[in-house]
Amino acid sequence: MMNHIVDVVIPSYKPGEKLRRCLTMLSKQTLPPEYIFIINTEKKYFDPSLTADFANVSITHIKKQDFDHGATRNLGVRKSQAEFVLLMTDDAVPKDTKLIETMVKTFETDEKIAAVYGRQLPTSESAEDERYARQFNYPAKSFVKSMADKERLQIKTYFQSNVCCMYRRAVLEALGGFPTPMIFNEDMVFCHTMLAAGYKSAYCAEAAVYHAHNYSGIQQLRRNFDLGVSQAEHPEVFSDVKAVGEGMRMVKGNAKQLLKHGRIFSVVRLFYRSGCKFLGYRLGKSYRKLPMQLVLRITTNRGYWRNRK
């Protein structure tokens, strides 16, 4: 077990104290990473004191116009020679000291497992509807999925999150790495590639990170616009799986739970934020029909469109 070598890749942009907490927990792992490669967007926004106490951290700075959800992660992966590479974000903090060990043990159960993604837990920052969403997308029970599960799972077949996802590096590189250019959703598109090649994706509920966002309705609209664009640009992945029905099931379950506890205002907030998500998603799916000026106003990643053009 301890012979396995793991590196960590973390894209960052204006990181704060959560990055320091993440690095602290990674340094305490029962199976500690060999190297941690941070690919940071814009050096002027990076506080060197966040990483000063960690000798195995390497930082590469890139320009904002060069950031790409796929290419930036590929840059980090190329720096690694480890058997496994753990992809994280700069605001995800391991729950305990066994995150890496637990994920590596999951790989040992089946040589066809090419990726293991961890559970995401809410924090005190999380709104009530986000807490439910975490439970919906990251249940307490682990499982393994393959392309054979497509009819049953639909879009969830390809769901895995680079907030905390470990890969067999050799497989990741052999399959071409994450797709580029990529506005969003690089993890799900690669999961499709991986499963189509005969590999499996594992969800490990015992490997958990704390990860929270409290987005406004407009922020949700913009993020889901980019999500919709990513799906529109990859019909080979998303055209024959159901997506909207899964979202509706989550909203209904969330509303039911909130009403059970008398959270009327929270239900209103849920419907507003869900409406923003759906509108953003539909606009993103139909982005080709929109004027570029409107696209640039909605998207969270203007650089993607400039580079694409």
mmCIF file of all heavy atoms in Angstrom, residues 225-243:
data_model
loop_
_atom_site.group_PDB
_atom_site.id
_atom_site.type_symbol
_atom_site.label_atom_id
_atom_site.label_comp_id
_atom_site.label_asym_id
_atom_site.label_seq_id
_atom_site.Cartn_x
_atom_site.Cartn_y
_atom_site.Cartn_z
ATOM 1 N N PHE A 225 -24.802 28.201 -17.607
ATOM 2 C CA PHE A 225 -24.642 28.540 -19.018
ATOM 3 C C PHE A 225 -23.412 27.821 -19.567
ATOM 4 O O PHE A 225 -23.476 27.168 -20.614
ATOM 5 C CB PHE A 225 -24.494 30.050 -19.192
ATOM 6 C CG PHE A 225 -24.213 30.468 -20.611
ATOM 7 C CD1 PHE A 225 -25.247 30.592 -21.528
ATOM 8 C CD2 PHE A 225 -22.918 30.729 -21.041
ATOM 9 C CE1 PHE A 225 -24.989 30.966 -22.850
ATOM 10 C CE2 PHE A 225 -22.647 31.102 -22.350
ATOM 11 C CZ PHE A 225 -23.697 31.222 -23.251
ATOM 12 N N ASP A 226 -22.298 27.920 -18.864
ATOM 13 C CA ASP A 226 -21.074 27.241 -19.302
ATOM 14 C C ASP A 226 -21.266 25.729 -19.315
ATOM 15 O O ASP A 226 -20.746 25.028 -20.195
ATOM 16 C CB ASP A 226 -19.909 27.615 -18.391
ATOM 17 C CG ASP A 226 -19.475 29.070 -18.553
ATOM 18 O OD1 ASP A 226 -19.953 29.732 -19.490
ATOM 19 O OD2 ASP A 226 -18.664 29.537 -17.735
ATOM 20 N N LEU A 227 -22.026 25.219 -18.344
ATOM 21 C CA LEU A 227 -22.341 23.787 -18.316
ATOM 22 C C LEU A 227 -23.115 23.385 -19.568
ATOM 23 O O LEU A 227 -22.813 22.374 -20.214
ATOM 24 C CB LEU A 227 -23.150 23.464 -17.063
ATOM 25 C CG LEU A 227 -23.705 22.043 -16.942
ATOM 26 C CD1 LEU A 227 -22.569 21.043 -16.806
ATOM 27 C CD2 LEU A 227 -24.657 21.935 -15.765
ATOM 28 N N GLY A 228 -24.131 24.188 -19.913
ATOM 29 C CA GLY A 228 -24.921 23.905 -21.103
ATOM 30 C C GLY A 228 -24.088 23.957 -22.371
ATOM 31 O O GLY A 228 -24.251 23.129 -23.278
ATOM 32 N N VAL A 229 -23.170 24.926 -22.440
ATOM 33 C CA VAL A 229 -22.275 25.032 -23.593
ATOM 34 C C VAL A 229 -21.437 23.759 -23.722
ATOM 35 O O VAL A 229 -21.278 23.197 -24.811
ATOM 36 C CB VAL A 229 -21.352 26.270 -23.471
ATOM 37 C CG1 VAL A 229 -20.253 26.227 -24.535
ATOM 38 C CG2 VAL A 229 -22.169 27.554 -23.600
ATOM 39 N N SER A 230 -20.899 23.292 -22.603
ATOM 40 C CA SER A 230 -20.044 22.099 -22.645
ATOM 41 C C SER A 230 -20.817 20.897 -23.175
ATOM 42 O O SER A 230 -20.264 20.059 -23.896
ATOM 43 C CB SER A 230 -19.475 21.798 -21.250
ATOM 44 O OG SER A 230 -20.469 21.278 -20.379
ATOM 45 N N GLN A 231 -22.081 20.792 -22.821
ATOM 46 C CA GLN A 231 -22.884 19.675 -23.304
ATOM 47 C C GLN A 231 -23.228 19.841 -24.780
ATOM 48 O O GLN A 231 -23.225 18.866 -25.541
ATOM 49 C CB GLN A 231 -24.151 19.536 -22.462
ATOM 50 C CG GLN A 231 -23.876 19.100 -21.033
ATOM 51 C CD GLN A 231 -25.125 18.696 -20.285
ATOM 52 O OE1 GLN A 231 -26.183 18.494 -20.873
ATOM 53 N NE2 GLN A 231 -25.024 18.566 -18.973
ATOM 54 N N ALA A 232 -23.519 21.092 -25.192
ATOM 55 C CA ALA A 232 -23.827 21.337 -26.600
ATOM 56 C C ALA A 232 -22.627 21.039 -27.495
ATOM 57 O O ALA A 232 -22.792 20.601 -28.637
ATOM 58 C CB ALA A 232 -24.274 22.791 -26.783
ATOM 59 N N GLU A 233 -21.426 21.263 -26.964
ATOM 60 C CA GLU A 233 -20.224 21.059 -27.767
ATOM 61 C C GLU A 233 -19.747 19.604 -27.762
ATOM 62 O O GLU A 233 -18.818 19.261 -28.491
ATOM 63 C CB GLU A 233 -19.108 21.985 -27.273
ATOM 64 C CG GLU A 233 -19.446 23.459 -27.500
ATOM 65 C CD GLU A 233 -18.237 24.348 -27.410
ATOM 66 O OE1 GLU A 233 -17.341 24.049 -26.606
ATOM 67 O OE2 GLU A 233 -18.193 25.337 -28.156
ATOM 68 N N HIS A 234 -20.386 18.771 -26.960
ATOM 69 C CA HIS A 234 -19.998 17.354 -26.917
ATOM 70 C C HIS A 234 -21.232 16.461 -27.023
ATOM 71 O O HIS A 234 -21.555 15.705 -26.093
ATOM 72 C CB HIS A 234 -19.217 17.067 -25.630
ATOM 73 C CG HIS A 234 -17.853 17.670 -25.621
ATOM 74 N ND1 HIS A 234 -16.751 17.047 -26.174
ATOM 75 C CD2 HIS A 234 -17.415 18.872 -25.174
ATOM 76 C CE1 HIS A 234 -15.693 17.826 -26.046
ATOM 77 N NE2 HIS A 234 -16.062 18.937 -25.453
ATOM 78 N N PRO A 235 -21.904 16.517 -28.173
ATOM 79 C CA PRO A 235 -23.092 15.673 -28.356
ATOM 80 C C PRO A 235 -22.783 14.186 -28.296
ATOM 81 O O PRO A 235 -23.654 13.383 -27.976
ATOM 82 C CB PRO A 235 -23.600 16.083 -29.752
ATOM 83 C CG PRO A 235 -22.398 16.644 -30.449
ATOM 84 C CD PRO A 235 -21.602 17.314 -29.374
ATOM 85 N N GLU A 236 -21.540 13.810 -28.596
ATOM 86 C CA GLU A 236 -21.166 12.401 -28.528
ATOM 87 C C GLU A 236 -21.264 11.852 -27.113
ATOM 88 O O GLU A 236 -21.370 10.639 -26.897
ATOM 89 C CB GLU A 236 -19.740 12.200 -29.067
ATOM 90 C CG GLU A 236 -18.599 12.603 -28.143
ATOM 91 C CD GLU A 236 -18.344 14.108 -28.057
ATOM 92 O OE1 GLU A 236 -19.094 14.871 -28.689
ATOM 93 O OE2 GLU A 236 -17.395 14.505 -27.357
ATOM 94 N N VAL A 237 -21.252 12.764 -26.127
ATOM 95 C CA VAL A 237 -21.356 12.372 -24.724
ATOM 96 C C VAL A 237 -22.785 12.513 -24.210
ATOM 97 O O VAL A 237 -23.329 11.608 -23.563
ATOM 98 C CB VAL A 237 -20.420 13.230 -23.839
ATOM 99 C CG1 VAL A 237 -20.548 12.823 -22.369
ATOM 100 C CG2 VAL A 237 -18.979 13.103 -24.312
ATOM 101 N N PHE A 238 -23.432 13.632 -24.515
ATOM 102 C CA PHE A 238 -24.662 14.004 -23.824
ATOM 103 C C PHE A 238 -25.951 13.876 -24.632
ATOM 104 O O PHE A 238 -27.033 14.015 -24.072
ATOM 105 C CB PHE A 238 -24.540 15.449 -23.326
ATOM 106 C CG PHE A 238 -23.407 15.660 -22.369
ATOM 107 C CD1 PHE A 238 -22.231 16.280 -22.779
ATOM 108 C CD2 PHE A 238 -23.491 15.221 -21.055
ATOM 109 C CE1 PHE A 238 -21.176 16.476 -21.896
ATOM 110 C CE2 PHE A 238 -22.445 15.405 -20.163
ATOM 111 C CZ PHE A 238 -21.283 16.034 -20.583
ATOM 112 N N SER A 239 -25.861 13.624 -25.942
ATOM 113 C CA SER A 239 -27.076 13.675 -26.759
ATOM 114 C C SER A 239 -28.060 12.547 -26.472
ATOM 115 O O SER A 239 -29.266 12.702 -26.679
ATOM 116 C CB SER A 239 -26.705 13.668 -28.247
ATOM 117 O OG SER A 239 -26.036 12.455 -28.590
ATOM 118 N N ASP A 240 -27.573 11.410 -25.999
ATOM 119 C CA ASP A 240 -28.486 10.273 -25.818
ATOM 120 C C ASP A 240 -28.674 9.883 -24.352
ATOM 121 O O ASP A 240 -29.034 8.754 -24.036
ATOM 122 C CB ASP A 240 -28.003 9.068 -26.623
ATOM 123 C CG ASP A 240 -26.635 8.571 -26.169
ATOM 124 O OD1 ASP A 240 -25.949 9.311 -25.441
ATOM 125 O OD2 ASP A 240 -26.256 7.440 -26.554
ATOM 126 N N VAL A 241 -28.431 10.824 -23.436
ATOM 127 C CA VAL A 241 -28.712 10.580 -22.016
ATOM 128 C C VAL A 241 -29.600 11.691 -21.477
ATOM 129 O O VAL A 241 -29.505 12.836 -21.903
ATOM 130 C CB VAL A 241 -27.418 10.486 -21.167
ATOM 131 C CG1 VAL A 241 -26.656 9.223 -21.483
ATOM 132 C CG2 VAL A 241 -26.537 11.715 -21.368
ATOM 133 N N LYS A 242 -30.462 11.343 -20.545
ATOM 134 C CA LYS A 242 -31.387 12.313 -19.967
ATOM 135 C C LYS A 242 -30.690 13.111 -18.868
ATOM 136 O O LYS A 242 -30.024 12.552 -18.007
ATOM 137 C CB LYS A 242 -32.609 11.607 -19.394
ATOM 138 C CG LYS A 242 -33.425 10.856 -20.433
ATOM 139 C CD LYS A 242 -34.563 10.085 -19.785
ATOM 140 C CE LYS A 242 -35.340 9.267 -20.813
ATOM 141 N NZ LYS A 242 -36.409 8.456 -20.189
ATOM 142 N N ALA A 243 -30.887 14.451 -18.905
ATOM 143 C CA ALA A 243 -30.235 15.312 -17.919
ATOM 144 C C ALA A 243 -31.238 16.092 -17.082
ATOM 145 O O ALA A 243 -31.130 16.156 -15.858
ATOM 146 C CB ALA A 243 -29.283 16.283 -18.623
#
